[in-house]
Amino acid sequence: MATSGLAASPIKYCLHLPVQCPGLREKRVSASILGRSSCCTGSTQKYHPRRMPIVKCAMEASFGGSTDDSAAIFPRINVKDPYKRLGINKEASEDEIQAARNFLIQRYAGHKPSVDAIEAAHDKIIMQKFYDRKNPKIDINKKVREMKQSRFVQAVTSRFRTPATKFIVKTSIAFIVLGALTVLFPTEEGPTLQVAISLITAIYFIHDRLKSKLRAFLYGAGAFIFSWLLGTFLMVSVVPPILKGPMSLEVTTSLITYVLLWISSTYLI
């Protein structure tokens, strides 16, 4: 065909349309475009369209082009510990527990045994949390720490100090001998003599450590009165008689007094 005295020939090209859905063959479309000839040579021009990238089809699942993860199996389905099954620690809050449960349920929703295992672990943790709130446990270590940190206990413990080992052995032998004499040689009047000796012994050892006669007398007399009253209270109200005999109460009270006097004479400052 001729146009205004210039020779022109139709140009043919092929368009390769990008196929958006896998499984469908490409469509080839042929078209003719009137190309203008060159003024000098009269050669024809060819059009080469760019190839468009293939876009994944939104409905590719209908054509079998995607992997179906809806039936994925929960890998920790047989883990017995409910916390490990959900992948959380035992200090997790209820919000964290619920978030872990929702995430796993959404991910493994297509596998019923996995969903049941996740739900069972979640329910077990929630019930345990509820039981712990209703029946709080007593933390003994925490209570002991709080007691040690109280002002009263610190004031009492500050009045005691550990002396040299030689001094501890010396006081221990003295009060053990007094206790043996009280048990082996009871009298009808009671262990009056041994108790008096124990008071003098306590005052002597306190003076030996503190180098003060007044403090030694006050500490010794106060420790003796307190220990005797405490021993009597324990034997009458709390502790059943340990020794048999008419003077068993006095003897046992004397033994308790010796123990407290030994602590006072050895550690009290």
Side-chain angles (χ1 to χ4, degrees), residues 150-212:
S150 64
R151 293 183 178 180
F152 175 76
V153 174
Q154 289 181 354
V156 172
T157 55
S158 64
R159 304 302 304 172
F160 293 87
R161 183 179 301 171
T162 303
T165 304
K166 184 178 179 180
F167 187 83
I168 296 175
V169 173
K170 184 168 61 175
T171 57
S172 300
I173 292 174
F175 283 100
I176 289 173
V177 171
L178 285 174
L181 292 175
T182 303
V183 175
L184 296 177
F185 303 101
T187 60
E188 294 181 357
E189 295 81 9
T192 307
L193 179 61
Q194 293 89 333
V195 170
I197 295 174
S198 68
L199 174 59
I200 297 173
T201 304
I203 294 175
Y204 169 77
F205 285 130
I206 294 174
H207 176 267
D208 190 20
R209 286 191 304 107
L210 303 181
K211 307 301 181 182
S212 174

Side-chain angles (χ1 to χ4, degrees), residues 79-148:
V79 176
K80 294 183 179 180
D81 190 339
Y83 291 94
K84 293 181 179 179
R85 189 183 299 177
L86 294 185
I88 57 178
N89 55 36
K90 294 185 178 181
E91 288 76 23
S93 63
E94 293 188 4
D95 293 337
E96 293 173 340
I97 296 171
Q98 190 67 28
R101 177 257 180 197
N102 294 339
F103 173 77
L104 295 174
I105 287 293
Q106 183 178 5
R107 184 172 182 180
Y108 300 100
H111 190 252
K112 190 177 184 303
S114 298
V115 174
D116 294 340
I118 296 168
E119 290 284 11
H122 172 265
D123 294 343
K124 188 174 182 179
I125 294 174
I126 293 300
M127 292 300 296
Q128 185 64 41
K129 293 281 187 182
F130 178 78
Y131 178 81
D132 292 341
R133 284 198 299 268
K134 292 293 183 180
N135 304 278
K137 296 181 181 179
I138 299 176
D139 191 347
I140 298 178
N141 295 330
K142 183 179 179 180
K143 293 295 182 181
V144 171
R145 288 194 301 269
E146 292 177 354
M147 186 179 297
K148 289 182 178 179

Side-chain angles (χ1 to χ4, degrees), residues 183-258:
V183 175
L184 296 177
F185 303 101
T187 60
E188 294 181 357
E189 295 81 9
T192 307
L193 179 61
Q194 293 89 333
V195 170
I197 295 174
S198 68
L199 174 59
I200 297 173
T201 304
I203 294 175
Y204 169 77
F205 285 130
I206 294 174
H207 176 267
D208 190 20
R209 286 191 304 107
L210 303 181
K211 307 301 181 182
S212 174
K213 294 181 180 180
L214 179 60
R215 292 176 64 186
F217 176 77
L218 293 177
Y219 284 3
F224 175 78
I225 295 172
F226 173 77
S227 59
W228 186 264
L229 293 176
L230 180 61
T232 303
F233 170 75
L234 292 176
M235 293 308 303
V236 173
S237 305
V238 181
V239 182
I242 300 174
L243 301 175
K244 296 181 179 181
M247 304 301 296
S248 61
L249 178 61
E250 289 79 2
V251 172
T252 307
T253 303
S254 300
L255 296 178
I256 296 174
T257 303
Y258 297 159

Side-chain angles (χ1 to χ4, degrees), residues 6-130:
L6 297 177
S9 61
I11 300 172
K12 292 186 177 181
Y13 67 92
C14 295
L15 291 177
H16 295 273
L17 298 180
V19 180
Q20 294 181 345
C21 296
L24 298 180
R25 293 180 300 175
E26 294 180 340
K27 295 181 180 180
R28 179 172 296 183
V29 179
S30 299
S32 297
I33 297 179
L34 182 63
R36 295 183 179 179
S37 60
S38 175
C39 296
C40 298
T41 60
S43 61
T44 60
Q45 295 178 348
K46 292 185 178 181
Y47 175 73
H48 299 279
R50 294 178 59 186
R51 187 177 181 86
M52 300 296 293
I54 298 178
V55 181
K56 187 176 181 181
C57 179
M59 299 298 293
E60 63 182 355
S62 302
F63 298 92
S66 65
T67 303
D68 188 4
D69 292 335
S70 61
I73 300 176
F74 184 41
R76 298 189 298 273
I77 190 172
N78 295 321
V79 176
K80 294 183 179 180
D81 190 339
Y83 291 94
K84 293 181 179 179
R85 189 183 299 177
L86 294 185
I88 57 178
N89 55 36
K90 294 185 178 181
E91 288 76 23
S93 63
E94 293 188 4
D95 293 337
E96 293 173 340
I97 296 171
Q98 190 67 28
R101 177 257 180 197
N102 294 339
F103 173 77
L104 295 174
I105 287 293
Q106 183 178 5
R107 184 172 182 180
Y108 300 100
H111 190 252
K112 190 177 184 303
S114 298
V115 174
D116 294 340
I118 296 168
E119 290 284 11
H122 172 265
D123 294 343
K124 188 174 182 179
I125 294 174
I126 293 300
M127 292 300 296
Q128 185 64 41
K129 293 281 187 182
F130 178 78

